Amino acid sequence: MKRRTLLAAGGGAVVALGAGWMLTRPDPATGLLPGAANAQTTDGSAPEIIEMIKGNPDAPVELIEYASYTCPHCASFHANQFKLIEQNYIDTEKVKFVYREVYFDRPGLWASMIARATNDTNFFFAFSDILYQRQREWLASGDPAQIIQELRTLAKTAGLDDATLDAVLSDAAKAEALYTWYQDNAQRDGINSTPSFIIDGRGYSNMAYDEFAEVLDGKLG
């Protein structure tokens, strides 16, 4: 995983400034609002980042995935191995699945902010599925303003309105909190590529389904 600074291009993008974040004055096409540089929670504290969990939280085995919404290998994993893992281990309450985002670039961060708009795990995982299924479409242009428009269109199809999206995409405090959370997680768990996995505390690279099944069955005893 190559860690990259998230820099603005053409205005209206999240910018890394030392230890902090701001949002530049937006190009109207981006959908990001003025004044977002001062965004913060009401009491001045950092926004809470909710752990996104699928399956039984008390399952005997924990599987953590580190992934980026802009990573084609992650999209392939979710289209293939994950479906079988979900069917055979998560839905059967054998495995607790935790999804943690990795931010290679601004589009990945924007997608994450939208997926987390409601702090609802059902919406999060449903929208994540859409992001992976249509990854090539919303990333196709390579243009930041167009990518945000594509993400907004997907989000509205999923049930979010413009007011919610305006608030989400101009929330500098949430952007900073998410990026800090990502960095802390990646450093602690030694994440250097995506997708990467932590199964009951041990790190694994991407594998074929049969290899995942062998590891999970071994953990389950």
Side-chain angles (χ1 to χ4, degrees):
M1 178 183 67
K2 185 181 293 184
R3 185 170 298 176
R4 305 171 185 173
T5 305
L6 306 183
L7 298 176
V14 180
V15 187
L17 290 179
W21 288 80
M22 66 171 286
L23 297 179
T24 63
R25 183 176 297 278
D27 182 313
T30 66
L32 299 178
L33 301 180
N38 299 317
Q40 60 183 357
T41 57
T42 304
D43 62 3
S45 62
E48 179 185 6
I49 305 302
I50 294 175
E51 196 82 277
M52 292 301 176
I53 297 172
K54 177 175 281 196
N56 179 7
D58 298 318
V61 173
E62 180 183 68
L63 167 61
I64 302 172
E65 179 191 4
Y66 282 93
S68 166
Y69 289 123
T70 62
C71 164
H73 299 292
C74 301
S76 177
F77 168 77
H78 277 268
N80 296 288
Q81 298 101 303
F82 181 72
K83 291 185 181 300
L84 291 171
I85 293 172
E86 183 174 28
Q87 176 183 334
N88 296 321
Y89 294 95
I90 299 171
D91 290 347
T92 56
E93 300 193 347
K94 297 176 182 177
V95 167
K96 167 189 173 182
F97 176 73
V98 181
Y99 182 93
R100 292 178 181 166
E101 300 96 297
V102 169
Y103 302 125
F104 285 132
D105 43 38
R106 290 172 296 148
L109 177 61
W110 297 332
S112 176
M113 292 174 75
I114 294 172
R116 290 175 172 272
T118 65
N119 280 335
D120 177 81
T121 55
N122 290 327
F123 178 84
F124 176 86
F125 283 112
F127 192 64
S128 294
D129 286 344
I130 294 171
L131 289 169
Y132 281 128
Q133 290 165 8
R134 302 182 65 175
Q135 184 187 78
R136 291 185 180 181
E137 296 174 38
W138 61 268
L139 285 172
S141 70
D143 175 67
Q146 183 61 36
I147 288 171
I148 286 185
Q149 286 302 318
E150 295 288 345
L151 286 171
R152 290 178 71 101
T153 297
L154 288 179
K156 286 191 281 189
T157 301
L160 299 184
D161 58 26
D162 281 317
T164 299
L165 289 167
D166 288 344
V168 165
L169 291 169
S170 61
D171 191 343
K174 186 66 170 287
E176 179 179 2
L178 280 169
Y179 195 74
T180 299
W181 171 80
Y182 142 65
Q183 287 184 310
D184 290 346
N185 285 335
Q187 182 175 1
R188 183 188 60 251
D189 288 339
I191 303 303
N192 53 30
S193 64
T194 57
S196 288
F197 305 89
I198 306 293
I199 303 176
D200 277 357
R202 180 179 173 184
Y204 295 85
S205 299
N206 196 12
M207 301 177 279
Y209 171 73
D210 288 347
E211 294 174 277
F212 273 109
E214 183 177 356
V215 173
L216 294 173
D217 288 342
K219 299 290 185 181
L220 289 165

